[in-house]
Amino acid sequence: MAQSSQATGGHTSIPALLQRNAQRFADKPAYREKEFGIWQTWTWKDVQREVNNLARGLINLGVNEGDFIAIIGSNRPQLYWSMVAAQSVGAVPVPLYQDSAAEEMAYVLDHCGARFVIAEDQEQVDKVIEIQDRLHQFEHMIYLDPRGLRKYDHSHLHDFRHVQEQGHAARDELTPELERRRAKLDLTSTCVMLYTSGTTGKPKGVVLSNRNIIESAQNSSEFDNLGPGEEILAYLPMAWVGDFIFSVGQAYWTGFCVNCPESAETMMTDLREIGPTYYFAPPRVFETQLTSVMIRMEDASRMKKWLFDTFMAHARKVGPSILDGKPVGFMDRLKYALGNILVYGPLKNTLGFSRVRIGYTAGEAIGPEIFDFYRSLGINLKQLYGQTEATVFITMQPDGEVRSDTVGVPAPGVELKIGDNGEVYYRSPGVFECYYKNPESTADTKDAEGWVATGDAGFIEESSGHLRIIDRAKDVGKMADGRLFAPKYVENKLKFYPNILEAVVFGNGRDRCMAFINIDLSAVGNWAERNNIGYSSYQELAGHPKVLDQIQCHVEEVNRSVAEDPILSGCQIHRFLILHKELDADDGEMTRTRKVRRRIVEDKYNDLITALYDGSERISTRTEVTYEDGRKGYISATLEIRDAAVQPDTTQKMAAE
Amino acid sequence: MNQMSTEGYTTADGRQIGGVLMEMKNITLRFGGVKAITDISFDIREGEIRAIIGPNGAGKSSMLNVISGFYVPQEGEVWFRGAKRPPMKPYQVAQQGIARTFQNIALFEGMSVLDNVMTGRLTHMKTGMVAQAIWKGAAEKEEVENREVVEKIIDFLEIQAIRKTPVARLPYGLKKRVELARALAAEPKLLLLDEPMAGMNVEEKEDMSRFILDVNDEFGTTIALIEHDMGVVMDLSDRVVVMDYGKKIGDGTPDEVRNNQAVIDAYLGVAHD
């Protein structure tokens, strides 16, 4: 492995990269955070000092090599430093989702046996205190924001700054120990452990080594020519592998600046103020932004609306080609340049995308309209395909080869193969070490030769070499008559409509497909306002006949489009209903990353599925809901079930002809 | 509770309450022939949350206006920080360290949240209007210092996202919070809240209660509040004054007040002769 240690320039751990950056980029901003209305900046030198003080403070508190330190909170520079400080003293950082309920946290904290927790504020501290009796190894908690915590028992509770101060005061005694521990880190030592959100079963702890992180960061940075001048906004959950690779891996590798928003609500303002050059967002974020632009345009004056419509139509025609450097006529270019001054430029500025050089989306399929909208504005939005077990990168789209229906070519260093059942397998330097304390799952996922099953079914397009994903491999099933059932494929088509937030399609082993729909309250709500339709709740709007009419149109359009593909034409939706509540992670119906837990939905709404199949026209139901603070309640509703027109089966038609 | 020493007391949750901050001695307030307040005495101690409750028309708001110096009582004395307070203008009262919020929100609707909260710093600004307009030297330094205080309060009350939003565009619950921010910006010794939860839904009430407790805890601000929601009052306050028809009918801890027959009668209603 001497070879790869050379490849990473001899820098074998994140703390080692920090030392390098503190010399190479000493006074260049490394972190910014908006606090008290002003962007506060820390240079790489400052970060080195902060991390060292904290690391010594951790040793002072009794952190041993190999300990696990859980980190809970929103994106704050201090929490990022906590991860690097933990690594510096030979401990393993375990970032957790800050919106997890105490119950979910209990499982993870117990599973990894965390002795230390670094929490952002009172909310997180309270959650850990609530469950601490069940955690045998838990000893100390460190908090960032002292608000409301003054009167707490401080025998095991420490202020972040005090820990740093103690670390600073004891610098003479503890620095040799810190340096000894830091020198021991190499490419094989564990860099971070991330719990996968787990669409099924309990979360699994994915162990990623320094090699996984550093080589993946290096490869991907080179793929997109990322340099120390990039600016990113760190706003996605710290527990998610993507945030770790962008805000830690790539940031430390290339030395770019990580900006932390003031709060979740100010994200859009902060985005505008920072104007990142490198930006990542799940499709949902792009979708929400587009929806809000469209809603605001609906309310704009006629002149503005005309300008917007005219130039957007032109942008859709030539924008992507200009972005890809394809030949475009002079007049078209001129008109696009004019549009850039009048519409695209100001719009990009409003969205905070003026400076975006590379934008990525991943995690879910993105609607072609949404994707094309951003690209036609001249934003280089691309797709990548990845997962925690691969340290994110499996495939990425190179500049100039961007399409909405593929996820790109294998990332540097990644090998791909397609299994007999259509499942995608990969092998790369980013392949995870193991699932913590779970050798069976590790063996199930990763074979002896290092090939990892993605769990997704897909194929490599022969003409371009790009990978196309159809669906989750385990969700792909057979209908009663043996035709292919790919629910996600249909659900994504449905979700591309702004009115539809979420859809769940059923039909595995059955003769026909049925669907649950969640409407998008902001889009449909705005439509209702403009059409003088009064409503008081999601439930009432969801049951409105005119809303049902609209959704029915969408479903029928999707059926027409699905019917065009002979393999998948069996997945047309025969009947559907609009759910009376939004699917929610607090009810366990979705993961924290907002992926539907199909099986749980299937069990919970079994009565509704029965009604869909038995032909009834309406169904009364009562559903348990969990509020954000953990209390439970019930909502009852009577739902109308609609039939949707389906296209005749093309396979049969072809046979008949 | 009534025989409490002048050195203060310790609350049920272990907070140390100090000596008397403000004392109302035999206050009577008349509007022409109408007696709004009849011979009421009570004190407010440093660091406590003191509630004034009572049915509609009991004279609670009048009492608050007496405390804030807006009404001058015909009889009785107001003592603040160990000295008898002469009749003053409201701005002089503000300079003494008393700030308030209003039952019907009284913000500058066209101004941003930030500007509204900045107005709360007015009593702390010394430079003149001309200097502020030129905005050089002392005036600039002063604004920066005051802005810092205001930003801490914005952070404390979690209204960063609406910092630049005109107040007119805000929902009711947030306006109430902005008003609290403005009152806090004055860094008052005594904070008067006139029905801080009126018209709020349960969630907004919970948030507001949290903020009131945090203000008291974090800044050590003494708080006197009027509130209709009995649940909120009993949870928040250390001591409660109960008024009915302009008279004091009860005074003590929430538990004492809850078991006071006169209070129960006033709320449940008995025939008055």
Side-chain angles (χ1 to χ4, degrees), chain B residues 111-141:
Chain B
M111 277 160 50
S112 71
V113 167
L114 180 63
D115 289 339
N116 265 287
V117 182
M118 279 300 271
T119 60
R121 295 299 296 166
L122 206 62
T123 52
H124 295 260
M125 299 209 195
K126 284 167 199 71
T127 51
M129 200 165 71
V130 179
Q132 282 179 1
I134 299 167
W135 211 61
K136 278 264 176 274
E140 185 185 355
K141 187 162 160 279

PDB file of all heavy atoms in Angstrom, chain B residues 111-141:
ATOM      1  N   MET B 111     -41.151  49.165   9.186  1.00  0.00           N
ATOM      2  CA  MET B 111     -39.718  48.995   9.377  1.00  0.00           C
ATOM      3  C   MET B 111     -39.365  47.520   9.519  1.00  0.00           C
ATOM      4  O   MET B 111     -40.195  46.701   9.879  1.00  0.00           O
ATOM      5  CB  MET B 111     -39.262  49.766  10.624  1.00  0.00           C
ATOM      6  CG  MET B 111     -39.022  51.236  10.338  1.00  0.00           C
ATOM      7  SD  MET B 111     -39.045  52.307  11.787  1.00  0.00           S
ATOM      8  CE  MET B 111     -37.963  51.516  12.931  1.00  0.00           C
ATOM      9  N   SER B 112     -38.098  47.206   9.261  1.00  0.00           N
ATOM     10  CA  SER B 112     -37.658  45.811   9.383  1.00  0.00           C
ATOM     11  C   SER B 112     -37.595  45.421  10.856  1.00  0.00           C
ATOM     12  O   SER B 112     -37.588  46.279  11.743  1.00  0.00           O
ATOM     13  CB  SER B 112     -36.290  45.635   8.738  1.00  0.00           C
ATOM     14  OG  SER B 112     -35.320  46.262   9.534  1.00  0.00           O
ATOM     15  N   VAL B 113     -37.530  44.124  11.083  1.00  0.00           N
ATOM     16  CA  VAL B 113     -37.422  43.597  12.438  1.00  0.00           C
ATOM     17  C   VAL B 113     -36.194  44.186  13.120  1.00  0.00           C
ATOM     18  O   VAL B 113     -36.250  44.657  14.260  1.00  0.00           O
ATOM     19  CB  VAL B 113     -37.328  42.056  12.399  1.00  0.00           C
ATOM     20  CG1 VAL B 113     -36.904  41.502  13.746  1.00  0.00           C
ATOM     21  CG2 VAL B 113     -38.654  41.473  11.956  1.00  0.00           C
ATOM     22  N   LEU B 114     -35.081  44.201  12.369  1.00  0.00           N
ATOM     23  CA  LEU B 114     -33.828  44.698  12.930  1.00  0.00           C
ATOM     24  C   LEU B 114     -33.993  46.152  13.383  1.00  0.00           C
ATOM     25  O   LEU B 114     -33.611  46.517  14.502  1.00  0.00           O
ATOM     26  CB  LEU B 114     -32.735  44.587  11.862  1.00  0.00           C
ATOM     27  CG  LEU B 114     -31.356  45.061  12.261  1.00  0.00           C
ATOM     28  CD1 LEU B 114     -30.803  44.220  13.390  1.00  0.00           C
ATOM     29  CD2 LEU B 114     -30.421  45.005  11.073  1.00  0.00           C
ATOM     30  N   ASP B 115     -34.567  46.995  12.516  1.00  0.00           N
ATOM     31  CA  ASP B 115     -34.726  48.409  12.864  1.00  0.00           C
ATOM     32  C   ASP B 115     -35.644  48.570  14.068  1.00  0.00           C
ATOM     33  O   ASP B 115     -35.404  49.411  14.935  1.00  0.00           O
ATOM     34  CB  ASP B 115     -35.277  49.197  11.674  1.00  0.00           C
ATOM     35  CG  ASP B 115     -34.239  49.326  10.576  1.00  0.00           C
ATOM     36  OD1 ASP B 115     -33.046  49.172  10.891  1.00  0.00           O
ATOM     37  OD2 ASP B 115     -34.608  49.561   9.418  1.00  0.00           O
ATOM     38  N   ASN B 116     -36.692  47.758  14.108  1.00  0.00           N
ATOM     39  CA  ASN B 116     -37.600  47.818  15.248  1.00  0.00           C
ATOM     40  C   ASN B 116     -36.869  47.502  16.547  1.00  0.00           C
ATOM     41  O   ASN B 116     -37.044  48.196  17.546  1.00  0.00           O
ATOM     42  CB  ASN B 116     -38.749  46.825  15.059  1.00  0.00           C
ATOM     43  CG  ASN B 116     -39.972  47.479  14.444  1.00  0.00           C
ATOM     44  OD1 ASN B 116     -40.664  48.239  15.093  1.00  0.00           O
ATOM     45  ND2 ASN B 116     -40.204  47.201  13.169  1.00  0.00           N
ATOM     46  N   VAL B 117     -36.070  46.447  16.508  1.00  0.00           N
ATOM     47  CA  VAL B 117     -35.367  46.061  17.730  1.00  0.00           C
ATOM     48  C   VAL B 117     -34.331  47.130  18.083  1.00  0.00           C
ATOM     49  O   VAL B 117     -34.122  47.443  19.252  1.00  0.00           O
ATOM     50  CB  VAL B 117     -34.719  44.671  17.574  1.00  0.00           C
ATOM     51  CG1 VAL B 117     -34.029  44.248  18.859  1.00  0.00           C
ATOM     52  CG2 VAL B 117     -35.778  43.639  17.207  1.00  0.00           C
ATOM     53  N   MET B 118     -33.717  47.717  17.052  1.00  0.00           N
ATOM     54  CA  MET B 118     -32.728  48.779  17.299  1.00  0.00           C
ATOM     55  C   MET B 118     -33.358  49.954  18.058  1.00  0.00           C
ATOM     56  O   MET B 118     -32.688  50.600  18.866  1.00  0.00           O
ATOM     57  CB  MET B 118     -32.119  49.275  15.979  1.00  0.00           C
ATOM     58  CG  MET B 118     -30.998  48.414  15.419  1.00  0.00           C
ATOM     59  SD  MET B 118     -29.551  48.221  16.469  1.00  0.00           S
ATOM     60  CE  MET B 118     -28.545  49.614  15.961  1.00  0.00           C
ATOM     61  N   THR B 119     -34.632  50.234  17.792  1.00  0.00           N
ATOM     62  CA  THR B 119     -35.267  51.364  18.490  1.00  0.00           C
ATOM     63  C   THR B 119     -35.282  51.119  19.995  1.00  0.00           C
ATOM     64  O   THR B 119     -35.299  52.068  20.778  1.00  0.00           O
ATOM     65  CB  THR B 119     -36.714  51.611  18.022  1.00  0.00           C
ATOM     66  OG1 THR B 119     -37.476  50.430  18.275  1.00  0.00           O
ATOM     67  CG2 THR B 119     -36.784  51.975  16.569  1.00  0.00           C
ATOM     68  N   GLY B 120     -35.241  49.846  20.389  1.00  0.00           N
ATOM     69  CA  GLY B 120     -35.193  49.530  21.804  1.00  0.00           C
ATOM     70  C   GLY B 120     -33.899  49.993  22.463  1.00  0.00           C
ATOM     71  O   GLY B 120     -33.819  50.118  23.682  1.00  0.00           O
ATOM     72  N   ARG B 121     -32.878  50.256  21.643  1.00  0.00           N
ATOM     73  CA  ARG B 121     -31.587  50.689  22.176  1.00  0.00           C
ATOM     74  C   ARG B 121     -31.533  52.198  22.381  1.00  0.00           C
ATOM     75  O   ARG B 121     -30.502  52.727  22.808  1.00  0.00           O
ATOM     76  CB  ARG B 121     -30.454  50.285  21.221  1.00  0.00           C
ATOM     77  CG  ARG B 121     -30.260  48.804  21.071  1.00  0.00           C
ATOM     78  CD  ARG B 121     -29.898  48.122  22.355  1.00  0.00           C
ATOM     79  NE  ARG B 121     -28.608  48.555  22.910  1.00  0.00           N
ATOM     80  CZ  ARG B 121     -28.210  48.297  24.150  1.00  0.00           C
ATOM     81  NH1 ARG B 121     -28.987  47.635  24.966  1.00  0.00           N
ATOM     82  NH2 ARG B 121     -27.026  48.717  24.573  1.00  0.00           N
ATOM     83  N   LEU B 122     -32.610  52.876  22.040  1.00  0.00           N
ATOM     84  CA  LEU B 122     -32.600  54.338  22.013  1.00  0.00           C
ATOM     85  C   LEU B 122     -32.091  54.940  23.318  1.00  0.00           C
ATOM     86  O   LEU B 122     -31.294  55.875  23.314  1.00  0.00           O
ATOM     87  CB  LEU B 122     -34.014  54.850  21.721  1.00  0.00           C
ATOM     88  CG  LEU B 122     -34.059  56.217  21.054  1.00  0.00           C
ATOM     89  CD1 LEU B 122     -33.376  56.157  19.703  1.00  0.00           C
ATOM     90  CD2 LEU B 122     -35.497  56.673  20.896  1.00  0.00           C
ATOM     91  N   THR B 123     -32.531  54.371  24.443  1.00  0.00           N
ATOM     92  CA  THR B 123     -32.131  54.948  25.723  1.00  0.00           C
ATOM     93  C   THR B 123     -30.644  54.770  25.982  1.00  0.00           C
ATOM     94  O   THR B 123     -30.095  55.387  26.879  1.00  0.00           O
ATOM     95  CB  THR B 123     -32.907  54.293  26.882  1.00  0.00           C
ATOM     96  OG1 THR B 123     -32.774  52.881  26.762  1.00  0.00           O
ATOM     97  CG2 THR B 123     -34.374  54.666  26.853  1.00  0.00           C
ATOM     98  N   HIS B 124     -29.990  53.901  25.195  1.00  0.00           N
ATOM     99  CA  HIS B 124     -28.565  53.672  25.412  1.00  0.00           C
ATOM    100  C   HIS B 124     -27.709  54.481  24.448  1.00  0.00           C
ATOM    101  O   HIS B 124     -26.494  54.376  24.458  1.00  0.00           O
ATOM    102  CB  HIS B 124     -28.237  52.182  25.252  1.00  0.00           C
ATOM    103  CG  HIS B 124     -28.880  51.332  26.304  1.00  0.00           C
ATOM    104  ND1 HIS B 124     -28.215  50.883  27.406  1.00  0.00           N
ATOM    105  CD2 HIS B 124     -30.152  50.887  26.421  1.00  0.00           C
ATOM    106  CE1 HIS B 124     -29.047  50.182  28.165  1.00  0.00           C
ATOM    107  NE2 HIS B 124     -30.232  50.169  27.574  1.00  0.00           N
ATOM    108  N   MET B 125     -28.351  55.231  23.568  1.00  0.00           N
ATOM    109  CA  MET B 125     -27.575  55.982  22.580  1.00  0.00           C
ATOM    110  C   MET B 125     -27.411  57.424  23.056  1.00  0.00           C
ATOM    111  O   MET B 125     -28.343  58.048  23.542  1.00  0.00           O
ATOM    112  CB  MET B 125     -28.282  55.962  21.231  1.00  0.00           C
ATOM    113  CG  MET B 125     -28.443  54.552  20.692  1.00  0.00           C
ATOM    114  SD  MET B 125     -28.469  54.532  18.923  1.00  0.00           S
ATOM    115  CE  MET B 125     -29.116  52.908  18.594  1.00  0.00           C
ATOM    116  N   LYS B 126     -26.205  57.920  22.863  1.00  0.00           N
ATOM    117  CA  LYS B 126     -25.921  59.255  23.380  1.00  0.00           C
ATOM    118  C   LYS B 126     -25.677  60.278  22.286  1.00  0.00           C
ATOM    119  O   LYS B 126     -25.865  61.472  22.489  1.00  0.00           O
ATOM    120  CB  LYS B 126     -24.711  59.191  24.317  1.00  0.00           C
ATOM    121  CG  LYS B 126     -25.086  58.608  25.657  1.00  0.00           C
ATOM    122  CD  LYS B 126     -23.887  58.231  26.494  1.00  0.00           C
ATOM    123  CE  LYS B 126     -24.283  57.256  27.582  1.00  0.00           C
ATOM    124  NZ  LYS B 126     -24.609  55.909  27.041  1.00  0.00           N
ATOM    125  N   THR B 127     -25.243  59.822  21.119  1.00  0.00           N
ATOM    126  CA  THR B 127     -24.940  60.792  20.076  1.00  0.00           C
ATOM    127  C   THR B 127     -26.230  61.420  19.548  1.00  0.00           C
ATOM    128  O   THR B 127     -27.293  60.809  19.579  1.00  0.00           O
ATOM    129  CB  THR B 127     -24.192  60.137  18.893  1.00  0.00           C
ATOM    130  OG1 THR B 127     -24.933  58.990  18.507  1.00  0.00           O
ATOM    131  CG2 THR B 127     -22.791  59.747  19.286  1.00  0.00           C
ATOM    132  N   GLY B 128     -26.104  62.634  19.053  1.00  0.00           N
ATOM    133  CA  GLY B 128     -27.276  63.378  18.586  1.00  0.00           C
ATOM    134  C   GLY B 128     -27.702  62.970  17.193  1.00  0.00           C
ATOM    135  O   GLY B 128     -27.052  62.176  16.517  1.00  0.00           O
ATOM    136  N   MET B 129     -28.833  63.521  16.790  1.00  0.00           N
ATOM    137  CA  MET B 129     -29.421  63.169  15.502  1.00  0.00           C
ATOM    138  C   MET B 129     -28.487  63.527  14.352  1.00  0.00           C
ATOM    139  O   MET B 129     -28.321  62.773  13.409  1.00  0.00           O
ATOM    140  CB  MET B 129     -30.754  63.892  15.347  1.00  0.00           C
ATOM    141  CG  MET B 129     -31.658  63.286  14.340  1.00  0.00           C
ATOM    142  SD  MET B 129     -33.327  63.918  14.542  1.00  0.00           S
ATOM    143  CE  MET B 129     -33.120  65.583  13.962  1.00  0.00           C
ATOM    144  N   VAL B 130     -27.874  64.714  14.433  1.00  0.00           N
ATOM    145  CA  VAL B 130     -27.002  65.170  13.340  1.00  0.00           C
ATOM    146  C   VAL B 130     -25.791  64.244  13.225  1.00  0.00           C
ATOM    147  O   VAL B 130     -25.457  63.772  12.144  1.00  0.00           O
ATOM    148  CB  VAL B 130     -26.552  66.631  13.582  1.00  0.00           C
ATOM    149  CG1 VAL B 130     -25.625  67.073  12.459  1.00  0.00           C
ATOM    150  CG2 VAL B 130     -27.767  67.538  13.678  1.00  0.00           C
ATOM    151  N   ALA B 131     -25.190  63.926  14.354  1.00  0.00           N
ATOM    152  CA  ALA B 131     -24.026  63.031  14.344  1.00  0.00           C
ATOM    153  C   ALA B 131     -24.401  61.679  13.755  1.00  0.00           C
ATOM    154  O   ALA B 131     -23.649  61.078  12.989  1.00  0.00           O
ATOM    155  CB  ALA B 131     -23.484  62.861  15.761  1.00  0.00           C
ATOM    156  N   GLN B 132     -25.612  61.210  14.087  1.00  0.00           N
ATOM    157  CA  GLN B 132     -26.044  59.909  13.572  1.00  0.00           C
ATOM    158  C   GLN B 132     -26.271  59.955  12.070  1.00  0.00           C
ATOM    159  O   GLN B 132     -26.041  58.978  11.364  1.00  0.00           O
ATOM    160  CB  GLN B 132     -27.307  59.451  14.293  1.00  0.00           C
ATOM    161  CG  GLN B 132     -26.987  58.902  15.672  1.00  0.00           C
ATOM    162  CD  GLN B 132     -28.209  58.462  16.426  1.00  0.00           C
ATOM    163  OE1 GLN B 132     -29.322  58.548  15.909  1.00  0.00           O
ATOM    164  NE2 GLN B 132     -28.017  58.009  17.649  1.00  0.00           N
ATOM    165  N   ALA B 133     -26.743  61.109  11.596  1.00  0.00           N
ATOM    166  CA  ALA B 133     -26.980  61.241  10.157  1.00  0.00           C
ATOM    167  C   ALA B 133     -25.650  61.243   9.412  1.00  0.00           C
ATOM    168  O   ALA B 133     -25.520  60.631   8.357  1.00  0.00           O
ATOM    169  CB  ALA B 133     -27.764  62.521   9.872  1.00  0.00           C
ATOM    170  N   ILE B 134     -24.648  61.933   9.969  1.00  0.00           N
ATOM    171  CA  ILE B 134     -23.326  61.967   9.320  1.00  0.00           C
ATOM    172  C   ILE B 134     -22.643  60.603   9.497  1.00  0.00           C
ATOM    173  O   ILE B 134     -21.938  60.132   8.616  1.00  0.00           O
ATOM    174  CB  ILE B 134     -22.459  63.098   9.913  1.00  0.00           C
ATOM    175  CG1 ILE B 134     -23.163  64.441   9.666  1.00  0.00           C
ATOM    176  CG2 ILE B 134     -21.077  63.124   9.280  1.00  0.00           C
ATOM    177  CD1 ILE B 134     -22.590  65.598  10.450  1.00  0.00           C
ATOM    178  N   TRP B 135     -22.903  59.960  10.616  1.00  0.00           N
ATOM    179  CA  TRP B 135     -22.454  58.590  10.868  1.00  0.00           C
ATOM    180  C   TRP B 135     -20.945  58.429  10.750  1.00  0.00           C
ATOM    181  O   TRP B 135     -20.456  57.660   9.953  1.00  0.00           O
ATOM    182  CB  TRP B 135     -23.170  57.630   9.914  1.00  0.00           C
ATOM    183  CG  TRP B 135     -23.360  56.282  10.518  1.00  0.00           C
ATOM    184  CD1 TRP B 135     -24.052  55.986  11.632  1.00  0.00           C
ATOM    185  CD2 TRP B 135     -22.820  55.043  10.062  1.00  0.00           C
ATOM    186  NE1 TRP B 135     -23.990  54.661  11.909  1.00  0.00           N
ATOM    187  CE2 TRP B 135     -23.247  54.054  10.946  1.00  0.00           C
ATOM    188  CE3 TRP B 135     -22.016  54.669   8.983  1.00  0.00           C
ATOM    189  CZ2 TRP B 135     -22.899  52.721  10.798  1.00  0.00           C
ATOM    190  CZ3 TRP B 135     -21.681  53.340   8.830  1.00  0.00           C
ATOM    191  CH2 TRP B 135     -22.107  52.372   9.732  1.00  0.00           C
ATOM    192  N   LYS B 136     -20.244  59.234  11.518  1.00  0.00           N
ATOM    193  CA  LYS B 136     -18.777  59.115  11.564  1.00  0.00           C
ATOM    194  C   LYS B 136     -18.368  59.054  13.025  1.00  0.00           C
ATOM    195  O   LYS B 136     -19.036  59.605  13.895  1.00  0.00           O
ATOM    196  CB  LYS B 136     -18.114  60.336  10.914  1.00  0.00           C
ATOM    197  CG  LYS B 136     -18.021  60.279   9.408  1.00  0.00           C
ATOM    198  CD  LYS B 136     -16.664  59.755   8.965  1.00  0.00           C
ATOM    199  CE  LYS B 136     -16.590  59.603   7.459  1.00  0.00           C
ATOM    200  NZ  LYS B 136     -17.096  58.318   6.983  1.00  0.00           N
ATOM    201  N   GLY B 137     -17.249  58.437  13.294  1.00  0.00           N
ATOM    202  CA  GLY B 137     -16.664  58.454  14.632  1.00  0.00           C
ATOM    203  C   GLY B 137     -17.568  57.870  15.692  1.00  0.00           C
ATOM    204  O   GLY B 137     -17.988  56.716  15.589  1.00  0.00           O
ATOM    205  N   ALA B 138     -17.917  58.670  16.675  1.00  0.00           N
ATOM    206  CA  ALA B 138     -18.654  58.181  17.840  1.00  0.00           C
ATOM    207  C   ALA B 138     -19.981  57.534  17.447  1.00  0.00           C
ATOM    208  O   ALA B 138     -20.338  56.475  17.957  1.00  0.00           O
ATOM    209  CB  ALA B 138     -18.889  59.321  18.815  1.00  0.00           C
ATOM    210  N   ALA B 139     -20.697  58.168  16.520  1.00  0.00           N
ATOM    211  CA  ALA B 139     -22.014  57.650  16.139  1.00  0.00           C
ATOM    212  C   ALA B 139     -21.883  56.262  15.522  1.00  0.00           C
ATOM    213  O   ALA B 139     -22.668  55.358  15.815  1.00  0.00           O
ATOM    214  CB  ALA B 139     -22.690  58.607  15.172  1.00  0.00           C
ATOM    215  N   GLU B 140     -20.889  56.096  14.685  1.00  0.00           N
ATOM    216  CA  GLU B 140     -20.693  54.811  14.013  1.00  0.00           C
ATOM    217  C   GLU B 140     -20.330  53.734  15.041  1.00  0.00           C
ATOM    218  O   GLU B 140     -20.889  52.641  15.046  1.00  0.00           O
ATOM    219  CB  GLU B 140     -19.581  54.951  12.973  1.00  0.00           C
ATOM    220  CG  GLU B 140     -19.388  53.694  12.149  1.00  0.00           C
ATOM    221  CD  GLU B 140     -18.207  53.798  11.198  1.00  0.00           C
ATOM    222  OE1 GLU B 140     -17.591  54.876  11.108  1.00  0.00           O
ATOM    223  OE2 GLU B 140     -17.897  52.786  10.552  1.00  0.00           O
ATOM    224  N   LYS B 141     -19.413  54.092  15.924  1.00  0.00           N
ATOM    225  CA  LYS B 141     -18.973  53.158  16.949  1.00  0.00           C
ATOM    226  C   LYS B 141     -20.160  52.750  17.826  1.00  0.00           C
ATOM    227  O   LYS B 141     -20.358  51.566  18.128  1.00  0.00           O
ATOM    228  CB  LYS B 141     -17.894  53.839  17.800  1.00  0.00           C
ATOM    229  CG  LYS B 141     -17.223  52.935  18.804  1.00  0.00           C
ATOM    230  CD  LYS B 141     -15.902  53.539  19.271  1.00  0.00           C
ATOM    231  CE  LYS B 141     -15.455  52.937  20.593  1.00  0.00           C
ATOM    232  NZ  LYS B 141     -16.132  53.543  21.767  1.00  0.00           N
TER     233      LYS B 141
END
